[in-house]
Amino acid sequence: MALNFKKETFREDYTYSNSDAAIKRFPFPFPEDQYMYSVNIEPHTKGKQGSVCEFTFDIDEHYVAECIDKKITLEQDPGRYQALPHMMDAQWDFVELTMGALAQDYPEHFTLQKQGLIWTWENKPLGIKDTFTFGDTSTLAAEPFDYIGRQLQGDFVLLDHRDETLYADAGIVTSQADWSLAFNVGMSWREWHGPVPRATELGVMDRALKYLLNLQIGSPVRRLNWTMTVNPRLDTSPENYPHWGSDRNTVNAENIGDLVHLRVELQTLFRLPRSNAIVFSIRCYLINLKDIAIYPCWAKRLHRVQKTMHPDLIEYKGMTKFHPMMVDWLAKFDDGETLAIGTQPE
Amino acid sequence: MTMINVKVAAIEQVTPLVKHFTFVKEDGSSLPAFSGGSHVVVSIDIGGRVHRNPYSLMGSPMENEAYHISVRRQENSRGGSVFMHENVTVGMPLKITYPMNLFSLAKKGRKHILIAGGIGITPFMSQIADLKRMGANYELHYAFRSPEHGAFAAQLKESCGDHLHCYIDSNATRLDLQALLSDQPLGTHVYVCGPSAMVVATLETARNLGWPENHIHSEQFLSPPIGEPFKIQLARSNVEIQVSAEMSMLEAIEAAGVEADFLCRGGVCGRCELDVLETDGALLHNDHFLTDSEKASCKKIMPCVSRAKGERLVLDL
């Protein structure tokens, strides 16, 4: 099925919106009425047809617009792409994984032809066609990870596995929920998770690390993470905080349903074969409160989750300014009906 | 656990004790690429009992048409290596896991010293392919009993040239670890794989010379040792299982139909770790994964290689 790519923006006039189909397939992250951190990792196996987990990497109606937004962010701040020199094997592993998956899952949009090490990649939506030698960086116009990273929705971090931990030694990060690649590059697992409240005490991070160190080739895993963002802005980076931080002050009882977005990250992790590194993929989905409320069980669930949210998490996720207003806005949808465990819209 | 269906494409006797096996995918497609130092776990069915043993991949990581492993016939084998030597034939289908690397090269290392004893050469065969591709500075020190036991010496001489140094017991040439490790530039990493005495001597020498712990790498897969039979209780599954002398705890759990997590099955990766809820005897820890204090606490056990003594051992499974 060919996708219809929308023309829309994620900055300034914010013309981003979700179609009915995109709302229905939104990866709603709350199966229960209360939220707490857990190692909610599951195998990244093929999901239901049409779901965001149907394929290895999800391409949707926002693909072209997101790639354009990524290009703008990288032009304004080239430091959003970083790769330490020892990560070159991992870069090529990443090329093989992503091009192979896209060509297999979306053959009408992407093709990959291999003649030995001479590969021809065609990306029809973005109008790109290149022939290069796999493993020979001089045959591509950019570093391999940079080249293909720009042609994918979401952010990617390549983690080097050494000294019994993982180091964030390469990344292309333009749609992050307030964290900085320039700050985190070269850091170890414990260092970059240091700021997460309550998780360290719960031992969640140590357990997750142990699990990931044993991540196997051919058995990727996934989890969902979430936060809330004012306006459908992909680039909520600390570097550009002056451009988006004050948006929280514009939220009022009238516009909250349009302005406040649930931001869900579909995080997937893959072991890379030749480098033994791990790809951490963070695919961002945005939906405003009004669109969530189209499905009553989602509105009820979100109300209960937010109403019982731990104050540390409200602060950590940057929701302090508009949180009470959001709970009030959602309350009108909640009749107290008991909801079954699960995340389906209906 | 996701397994790959392969068949044996070739078998070669390389020394009196070592056989080399070539595997290809049963359906003729390519095998996954891997990194130097990786291993696979091979499943074999011996009279209805499934043995799963880890073996290092020896081929070049760049070649994905076939995998290569070598198996040394073990004198005190519980059957696995003897079965591989006597019963596995060309064309036979086998199941293997995806490659897993617990012995990877430190890519930021400035120089790499590889020390192999006997069959311990196997993980280095694929690492050398990676080191050569990266143009890295390395030395391979390969010790074996006598010329006919130097399974891959000729092949290595050809691919490594001056980087290879051989030590042959029967010729009374010995590796002087102290001399080797006391004169290396900053940023050198040392890797050892071989008999237990050699691994221990290398680790101790390096530590005594003040090498940083994260520059010292070793791999030593353990076979589950034969021991006294004992009983275990699985609390969540609510079953009692007898572990016979020749079976590992993990094998006994699997034979009883209880699903347990595992990866390397050699006491290295930590994946099969179980919580000990109750015990009235001693835990016989044989793994390389738990720290000494964890072992002393009697709270955790690795069922792939460890055993117990006593009347009661209750596990959280």
Side-chain angles (χ1 to χ4, degrees):
Chain A
M1 177 199 68
L3 287 158
N4 244 337
F5 300 114
K6 298 172 71 175
K7 270 189 115 159
E8 57 192 358
T9 57
F10 297 87
R11 59 182 75 212
E12 288 151 18
D13 58 350
Y14 295 113
T15 60
Y16 170 90
S17 68
N18 284 299
S19 68
D20 292 346
I23 295 167
K24 196 163 185 180
R25 77 195 290 271
F26 191 86
F28 190 78
F30 304 113
E32 293 176 87
D33 288 349
Q34 206 158 10
Y35 172 76
M36 196 54 220
Y37 280 114
S38 61
V39 187
N40 53 336
I41 305 177
E42 59 177 352
H44 185 40
T45 47
K46 202 171 172 64
K48 275 199 303 216
Q49 196 186 351
S51 75
V52 301
C53 295
E54 181 181 4
F55 297 123
T56 305
F57 296 99
D58 183 41
I59 301 290
D60 66 10
E61 63 187 21
H62 309 298
Y63 172 73
V64 172
E66 276 196 50
C67 289
I68 292 169
D69 192 73
K70 183 179 282 201
K71 188 162 178 257
I72 298 170
T73 303
L74 283 162
E75 267 164 15
Q76 291 173 350
D77 182 3
R80 304 298 185 86
Y81 170 80
Q82 312 240 1
L84 300 181
H86 63 278
M87 299 304 280
M88 195 47 84
D89 276 356
Q91 291 202 27
W92 284 108
D93 273 338
F94 182 79
V95 165
E96 182 180 41
L97 172 69
T98 52
M99 286 186 183
L102 260 52
Q104 183 186 313
D105 296 335
Y106 304 92
E108 65 279 48
H109 300 303
F110 307 97
T111 62
L112 178 63
Q113 267 147 17
K114 298 183 188 177
Q115 298 215 302
L117 294 177
I118 311 291
W119 291 18
T120 299
W121 165 251
E122 184 171 18
N123 177 335
K124 291 174 193 156
L126 297 183
I128 293 170
K129 187 172 182 178
D130 286 306
T131 298
F132 59 94
T133 307
F134 185 82
D136 182 351
T137 305
S138 71
T139 59
L140 273 177
E143 289 198 343
F145 179 41
D146 186 6
Y147 174 82
I148 195 64
R150 288 168 181 266
Q151 301 179 43
L152 292 159
Q153 286 172 276
D155 291 344
F156 300 91
V157 181
L158 303 182
L159 309 172
D160 193 28
H161 180 159
R162 60 177 197 274
D163 305 342
E164 293 305 303
T165 188
L166 299 171
Y167 290 87
D169 283 348
I172 180 163
V173 177
T174 55
S175 57
Q176 68 270 50
D178 203 5
W179 65 278
S180 163
L181 177 67
F183 183 70
N184 282 290
V185 76
M187 277 193 186
S188 74
W189 177 268
R190 282 193 184 83
E191 288 166 338
W192 85 72
H193 284 111
V196 183
R198 306 188 65 73
T200 314
E201 300 96 274
L202 295 170
V204 171
M205 292 307 168
D206 285 347
R207 281 207 304 278
L209 173 62
K210 204 166 166 181
Y211 185 88
L212 291 180
L213 291 176
N214 277 330
L215 186 66
Q216 282 196 289
I217 300 170
S219 303
V221 296
R222 65 174 173 243
R223 68 182 286 261
L224 292 178
N225 196 13
W226 68 275
T227 187
M228 308 293 297
T229 300
V230 178
N231 290 320
R233 186 177 177 93
L234 289 173
D235 175 28
T236 50
S237 59
E239 287 89 343
N240 279 334
Y241 187 79
H243 296 299
W244 59 270
S246 62
D247 288 357
R248 290 169 202 161
N249 300 324
T250 64
V251 179
N252 59 46
E254 280 69 54
N255 65 19
I256 188 166
D258 295 304
L259 288 198
V260 170
H261 288 69
L262 174 61
R263 181 187 192 103
V264 173
E265 294 174 351
L266 169 60
Q267 304 182 341
T268 48
L269 293 122
F270 303 79
R271 174 72 72 177
L272 294 174
R274 293 177 191 83
S275 57
N276 201 39
I278 288 176
V279 184
F280 180 32
S281 155
I282 309 145
R283 173 77 163 79
C284 171
Y285 296 84
L286 291 161
I287 187 172
N288 65 21
L289 296 179
K290 263 190 183 162
D291 284 349
I292 290 173
I294 288 173
Y295 293 105
C297 67
W298 279 359
K300 291 174 199 178
R301 181 80 85 202
L302 187 60
H303 172 246
R304 294 169 201 179
V305 164
Q306 291 297 351
K307 203 175 157 185
T308 55
M309 189 66 55
H310 192 283
D312 290 357
L313 287 176
I314 295 174
E315 178 63 29
Y316 174 66
K317 293 190 184 275
M319 304 188 292
T320 309
K321 271 267 165 75
F322 56 83
H323 192 264
M325 213 188 294
M326 174 167 68
V327 174
D328 284 349
W329 191 88
L330 289 165
K332 59 179 176 277
F333 300 98
D334 193 355
D335 58 4
E337 178 206 11
T338 306
L339 296 174
I341 289 178
T343 57
Q344 316 74 324
E346 306 175 288
Chain B
M1 160 142 317
T2 323
M3 305 288 276
I4 306 173
N5 293 314
V6 296
K7 64 178 183 202
V8 180
I11 303 175
E12 188 194 350
Q13 185 91 38
V14 283
T15 79
L17 290 176
V18 175
K19 271 189 175 176
H20 172 219
F21 298 82
T22 305
F23 299 148
V24 295
K25 275 273 271 290
E26 226 181 356
D27 63 10
S29 61
S30 298
L31 286 155
F34 62 97
S35 52
S38 295
H39 70 272
V40 294
V41 174
V42 179
S43 283
I44 47 176
D45 190 326
I46 308 178
R49 212 168 94 193
V50 180
H51 279 238
R52 296 189 175 98
N53 296 327
Y55 296 107
S56 297
L57 290 175
M58 303 177 62
S60 164
M62 294 297 126
E63 191 213 326
N64 54 8
E65 296 312 310
Y67 282 168
H68 303 270
I69 64 162
S70 282
V71 181
R72 184 187 192 276
R73 193 187 167 107
Q74 301 293 342
E75 285 110 37
N76 297 317
S77 168
R78 299 177 316 130
S81 72
V82 171
F83 185 89
M84 288 295 291
H85 270 253
E86 292 182 358
N87 301 82
V88 173
T89 53
V90 172
M92 191 183 264
L94 290 172
K95 281 189 191 309
I96 62 171
T97 60
Y98 276 75
M100 171 88 192
N101 200 340
L102 302 172
F103 193 47
S104 58
L105 290 165
K107 285 182 217 74
K108 296 178 77 179
R110 302 263 179 91
K111 182 178 176 184
H112 308 268
I113 304 281
L114 318 179
I115 300 175
I119 193 69
I121 190 67
T122 55
F124 296 125
M125 302 293 283
S126 58
Q127 287 192 344
I128 282 163
D130 273 351
L131 288 166
K132 286 176 61 173
R133 185 173 54 82
M134 295 186 288
N137 182 10
Y138 75 97
E139 292 172 13
L140 171 60
H141 298 267
Y142 179 20
F144 44 92
R145 266 200 259 172
S146 63
E148 83 248 32
H149 286 97
F152 304 98
Q155 184 188 335
L156 286 166
K157 186 76 212 165
E158 202 166 296
S159 63
C160 304
D162 293 345
H163 297 277
L164 175 69
H165 306 266
C166 288
Y167 308 87
I168 307 169
D169 285 357
S170 63
N171 297 356
T173 52
R174 287 185 64 87
L175 168 60
D176 184 344
L177 285 169
Q178 182 74 25
L180 177 68
L181 298 181
S182 56
D183 187 24
Q184 295 298 339
L186 276 179
T188 304
H189 284 249
V190 62
Y191 309 78
V192 60
C193 184
S196 182
M198 176 187 236
V199 173
V200 170
T202 305
L203 300 184
E204 277 182 1
T205 307
R207 283 174 188 146
N208 289 339
L209 287 166
W211 281 58
E213 200 58 38
N214 62 4
H215 286 45
I216 310 171
H217 313 269
S218 65
E219 184 164 72
Q220 209 189 350
F221 286 125
L222 306 162
S223 302
I226 297 169
E228 301 282 313
F230 61 102
K231 273 190 314 221
I232 54 175
Q233 285 87 31
L234 304 185
R236 275 184 282 144
S237 314
N238 195 25
V239 286
E240 180 169 284
I241 296 169
Q242 184 73 27
V243 183
S244 67
E246 294 211 335
M247 242 182 177
S248 74
M249 217 189 301
L250 182 58
E251 287 165 348
I253 290 168
E254 288 169 342
V258 177
E259 201 167 314
D261 234 348
F262 71 86
L263 278 180
C264 81
R265 305 182 80 94
V268 180
C269 76
R271 184 69 169 257
C272 68
E273 178 185 283
L274 292 177
D275 287 331
V276 175
L277 299 176
E278 227 181 284
T279 173
D280 69 349
L283 302 182
L284 309 174
H285 294 288
N286 295 313
D287 62 279
H288 289 315
F289 181 79
L290 295 175
T291 61
D292 289 345
S293 63
E294 282 173 325
K295 286 179 182 176
S297 78
C298 295
K299 290 276 182 350
K300 293 185 183 302
I301 194 159
M302 314 303 300
C304 64
V305 292
S306 297
R307 305 184 69 84
K309 231 185 165 103
E311 278 306 299
R312 196 168 162 75
L313 171 60
V314 186
L315 300 169
D316 186 19
L317 183 68

